[in-house]
Amino acid sequence: MKVAVTGANGHVGACLVRLLLKENHEVRVLVHTGSRALLGLNVETIKGDLDDPASLKRLCHDREVVFHLAVKIAIGSESYDEVYKVNVEGTRNLTIAARNAGVKRFVHFSSIHALQQFPQDKPLDETRPLALHAEMIYEKTKALAEKWVLEQNSPGFQVVVLNPTAIIGPCDFKPSYLGQVIQMIYKGTLPGLVPAGYNWVDVRDVAQAAVVAMGKGEPGERYLLSGKWQSLKSLAAMVCMHRNKKCRLPVFPFWLARMGVPFMALYARWKNREPLYTKISLAILQSANQHILNDKAGRVLDFSPRPLEESVADTLEWFKKHQYL
């Protein structure tokens, strides 16, 4: 099929594009800045961004399917306006361009954070309400974007929404925030952990579900792409199994971790990178629901997440092969 992809230079996008090419689809990508993840791939490149209608028109021209993955993640000092411009306005711009171009199916990558996490002791599935009034910028903007996209669904413009959890795995060229955490654990440079965890899912399983969604996804529906909840301590133990020496990572209570946020910010600035432990990232970890169901994706999209141990091992192998470790 003739497909277009935004966010192709990101973690999921890089994996998705490779899978699409492997299955002989004709791929066109939108590139804003950087294209390391796309080097050597047989893709057509459109230079532009979500705020440029002309580039979006070129991207969507003669395409049958559009995958929308481009996003602005906000766990630090990002302003609401800059995140809203990408996540909400950018999504609207792309949706309109795709519909005007005659695109038949629009696969929108939302997030588990677009849905309300509370109550945490109740299973979270596709019926959970959107977090339209969330205090955290990322959650609110992803919820607003998903609401808009689903409202555009029609017989001539079929919308399918995917809501993955925390993604790890190969093809992490940037690398992602979680990829950086795994690298730091492996190198022994992460100061410590907090008594929390997350639902982890492999990027390859997410990409495979997206490809299946082109044909099997029910229009106007969302699908949760979740793996299994594991504590940060358990994740670190899996990473440390692949080191030649033991990991000794202390687990700090949340109150102490919050006190250390300013120092982590200074350390990150010194290293010229984004801080991983922030007030927002700690809040996300503390509020993460432990009971996220993927039954619907399993039935409709043949979604079957692999064990986390396999994902961790393959992630480290990929980082080593590409000289990140």
Side-chain angles (χ1 to χ4, degrees):
M1 299 183 73
K2 294 182 177 181
V3 305
V5 182
T6 70
N9 208 41
H11 190 188
V12 182
C15 187
L16 174 61
V17 167
R18 283 162 172 78
L19 183 56
L20 289 167
L21 291 173
K22 184 179 179 181
E23 298 194 1
N24 297 316
H25 297 291
E26 183 182 306
V27 182
R28 181 184 295 154
V29 300
L30 182 71
V31 173
H32 178 43
T33 57
S35 57
R36 179 178 181 180
L38 303 172
L39 292 177
L41 299 184
N42 183 26
V43 298
E44 179 186 354
T45 300
I46 301 295
K47 182 71 174 177
D49 58 55
L50 297 176
D51 194 37
D52 177 14
S55 64
L56 297 182
K57 183 178 180 179
R58 293 195 301 273
L59 176 75
C60 297
H61 173 67
D62 79 4
R63 298 294 95 174
E64 299 167 88
V65 180
V66 168
F67 292 93
H68 179 36
L69 293 87
V71 67
K72 178 72 173 178
I73 296 175
I75 64 167
S77 58
E78 299 87 355
S79 71
Y80 181 81
D81 288 345
E82 66 175 309
V83 179
Y84 183 91
K85 184 175 183 179
V86 175
N87 293 353
V88 182
E89 292 182 356
T91 297
R92 289 176 180 170
N93 293 340
L94 178 63
T95 306
I96 293 170
R99 188 174 56 201
N100 289 344
V103 170
K104 301 302 181 184
R105 176 152 294 210
F106 190 90
V107 181
H108 174 68
F109 271 76
S110 186
S111 167
I112 197 65
H113 294 292
L115 304 176
Q116 296 178 17
Q117 300 296 300
F118 297 95
Q120 288 176 283
D121 59 343
K122 301 291 184 181
L124 192 161
D125 64 13
E126 286 80 2
T127 64
R128 188 66 68 94
L130 288 167
L132 296 170
H133 305 290
E135 293 184 3
M136 284 184 274
I137 296 173
Y138 183 69
E139 291 183 350
K140 184 174 183 177
T141 56
K142 290 301 290 183
L144 290 169
E146 182 176 330
K147 181 176 183 293
W148 159 264
V149 169
L150 285 172
E151 288 173 347
Q152 310 315 304
N153 180 65
S154 68
F157 185 70
Q158 300 177 351
V159 171
V160 177
V161 173
L162 305 178
N163 301 72
T165 53
I167 297 171
I168 65 171
C171 296
D172 198 356
F173 288 90
K174 192 176 179 179
S176 64
Y177 284 112
L178 294 177
Q180 292 176 54
V181 169
I182 290 174
Q183 288 180 22
M184 292 174 72
I185 293 172
Y186 185 84
K187 294 176 181 178
T189 58
L190 191 71
L193 307 170
V194 290
Y198 215 91
N199 185 294
W200 315 93
V201 65
D202 193 289
V203 65
R204 294 165 292 185
D205 298 327
V206 171
Q208 179 62 43
V211 173
V212 175
M214 285 198 300
K216 290 188 175 182
E218 289 292 330
E221 296 290 331
R222 73 165 62 98
Y223 298 91
L224 304 191
L225 305 180
S226 62
K228 184 178 180 181
W229 189 94
Q230 289 279 2
S231 68
L232 288 174
K233 186 176 181 180
S234 295
L235 177 70
M238 293 178 195
V239 174
C240 292
M241 285 177 58
H242 299 271
R243 282 170 46 110
N244 293 326
K245 52 185 178 181
K246 292 182 179 180
C247 294
R248 291 184 174 86
L249 281 169
V251 179
F252 299 116
F254 272 101
W255 66 266
L256 186 57
R258 290 191 188 92
M259 288 180 63
V261 164
F263 302 101
M264 289 295 291
L266 289 173
Y267 176 78
R269 194 176 304 158
W270 176 54
K271 289 290 188 177
N272 193 31
R273 62 189 182 200
E274 293 294 321
L276 300 177
Y277 277 149
T278 66
K279 181 180 177 182
I280 295 174
S281 67
L282 290 174
I284 289 173
L285 281 168
Q286 198 166 18
S287 64
N289 191 293
Q290 295 189 25
H291 311 284
I292 302 173
L293 306 180
N294 58 30
D295 302 47
K296 182 177 176 181
R299 291 193 308 271
V300 181
L301 305 181
D302 306 320
F303 179 67
S304 180
R306 69 196 70 199
L308 181 58
E309 293 85 353
E310 180 181 336
S311 299
V312 169
D314 291 350
T315 300
L316 291 171
E317 182 180 348
W318 189 90
F319 279 144
K320 290 174 183 177
K321 180 179 178 181
H322 292 81
Q323 301 182 337
Y324 287 86
L325 291 175

